Amino acid sequence: MKIDFRSALQRAAQLVTAVPGWPDAPWPRRLRRALPVALPILGVFAIAGWEFGVDQPRQRAVRAAHAPLVAAETETTALQLKWSEQEAAAVGAQAAKASQGLLPNPAAAPAALDRLAAAAAAQHWRASFHASAAAPPEIAPGSPIGFVTARGKLTPAAENDHPFPTLLAFLEPFATNEKGIDLTRLAIRADEEGRYSVEASLRLAYRISP
Amino acid sequence: MIPLPAQLLPTAGPALPELEPPRAAAPRRRGSALGLLWIHGHFEAALFHRQQAGAGWSSPEPVTTLEEFEGALTAALAALGFDGGEAFLVLEHDEFVHQSEAAPSFSRDATQSYLKGRVQRYERDHGRVVWVGEKTYTGRQDSSFILHLLPNRFYDRLNQTLLSRRIDLTRIVPLAVSLQQVVNGTAPTGTQPILLAAEAGRGTTILVAVPAGELIFARIIRASGREEPGRVAAEINRSLFYAKQQFGVAVEEVWLLNGSQVTAEVEARCSVRQIVSREIKAADWLQAVLRLPANHPVNLVAGYLRRKRQQQFARRAVIAASWLAFVLAALDFYSARDARQAERAHFADLQAEAATLRITHDRLAQRNDRLAQGQALVQHWADDRMPPVPVRFLRYLTGLLSPDMRLTDFVVAYDGPTAGWSFHLEGTVEGDGDAASDIVTALEQHLLRSPLRVRLNNGARTVTPMPSALGSADNPVQHFTLEGGLFEN
């Protein structure tokens, strides 16, 4: 459909400027008649001109000047929102608990094995543990935890009249997995006379410093 | 009658004296109207209030031109004390042309198109006109109309004259309409047509119509009964013959309005059953028109008024929309300004606390790094550690062993390549072969149903008698071996 814009504009101008009963009214009179429409429209244009020509460019300049600060604030907010205080506390507690069971480094393994032997002695078992010097520490790529392997032998002390229950008591901490020592092999042998010999393979977890 | 649109667009006409611009409308007295009668040089004005005739004024001088009309109007307004309001005009003038047209009657659109074409042809010769078509009686299948044609320039000038005095002209009708109203109001209703001759000004209008029915035809004679009674009577007689010949209508009754001077002439010349002579005042003609609605089909300015109302509505809508847009733009501007001010205040706060912000940012970054490492540590602590399978299996097995069983060898080991756990069990069972086998089988069943998800290696299962040194015929001892895997991890 073809729209005759010129004719439509003429009709609109006629509607706005026509003086009733005075078809050939002079222009000043027509303009005065158009004032009720022209004034608000001029006002709208003035507002738009001020807003788009003055205010918004000025505001854009202010924004550009403060962009680094705004970016820092946005980042800070994002950092703040990434972890809630409750989540942070929970993760911190879990990490602290995990860290407690870890050795600080592979060099601390002999001391940890000595403490393990002492724990066996408390249950009337003679134990000797030693780290496998030939085996390199196990480190998975990207993991904050590494492992040192160790072997040990246990035999009941002479005064140990109940070797099996005391052995279970010694092994009980390994059942909860709370300590940073994994039992990878357990071999218990008892001969016809009830003499026990125990062999154990261990894996001690240590913390890899970031 | 068929209402037809009027052509009301202003056109350039002959140069006329400049008029004062219309003044703003003053408060009007509700229900008051000014009736104007301008017929063949005769001008009268009457004031009506709520349909009741009030004071009247008649021009002592003939009024033929628009300038004279303006002067007469000024005098009438001064005499009547009318300060603006609604007015209507009964008009007969040399410029106001009535043209009879026969039009096709097969459809209304066709009739209108035909009449419009006739008007356009007239306008080519005489300039733009305000017009309306009045349907008349024909007695045949085709339609007949009287086109009332008033030049636009005449109308504009007339309207300007009135508007400049705050008078809104709402009706312009020819005298015939007023006469029809008078007939309808005074003549007995019936189907018999009557001829009406009314003297007004320097002319006489003759019409033939059925009371309360259609107009049959109307004529205007430039002769007055006072001056030329014989000629008027002759024209009345000719009209009677014309009605009979053209329309087959036998008129038996003649009404003479303000025409007592021609009664004797008419009686002498015309063979009719009855002649009625009445004196009608201009106020009566005007009052008859006052009762007509503004949208009467023969009102020349009905279309103009309709268009004027539409334009007024459209103009008010445009004004309202413009102001609404302005108010919304202003509100938006103030709202945006508040937002900008708030943003600038925020920037100022940021600037003032920049150092604190950076410290907080660094602290949070460190905290999050620490938490991420802690989370990774916890995750790997859970994923990389080995489950305590050996101790759990040993405790579980200890609870399953019957008093007749004794373990001599217990091995549980993690198999790295298969990422699983395997076990090897050896021991002794007191009893003969079958009983020992049942005990071992029961142990196997328990293991298979255990939560450790044991899978037995059937090829490695053995239950064999022990050497005699350990057992005897009375107390046999069997040696057993079990191997398998554990799925718990």
Side-chain angles (χ1 to χ4, degrees), chain A residues 13-36 38, chain B residues 18-25 160 163-166 315:
Chain A
Q14 176 70 18
L15 178 73
V16 172
T17 64
V19 182
W22 200 0
D24 53 349
W27 272 109
R29 189 59 198 244
R30 284 177 175 270
L31 286 177
R32 209 167 80 185
R33 177 78 175 159
L35 279 182
Chain B
E18 189 69 22
L19 276 179
E20 283 297 313
R23 288 172 288 175
Q160 265 183 273
L163 282 173
S164 66
R165 289 160 178 79
R166 294 177 292 189
R315 180 180 162 79

Side-chain angles (χ1 to χ4, degrees), chain A residues 50-148:
Chain A
W50 179 263
E51 183 154 355
F52 291 107
V54 178
D55 257 8
Q56 287 196 2
R58 190 186 294 169
Q59 192 67 10
R60 278 198 292 272
V62 172
R63 280 186 194 137
H66 291 84
L69 273 176
V70 173
E73 186 196 29
T74 308
E75 265 185 55
T76 304
T77 306
L79 290 170
Q80 182 84 42
L81 293 175
K82 190 171 182 182
W83 296 91
S84 70
E85 292 299 323
Q86 195 176 359
E87 286 173 335
V91 169
Q94 289 173 358
K97 189 176 176 183
S99 294
Q100 282 177 359
L102 294 174
L103 301 178
N105 50 54
L113 292 173
D114 289 346
R115 285 195 295 276
L116 198 59
Q123 297 294 337
H124 306 289
W125 280 79
R126 289 196 303 274
S128 66
F129 295 99
H130 57 273
S132 302
E138 297 176 21
I139 303 173
S143 173
I145 299 175
F147 295 96
V148 175

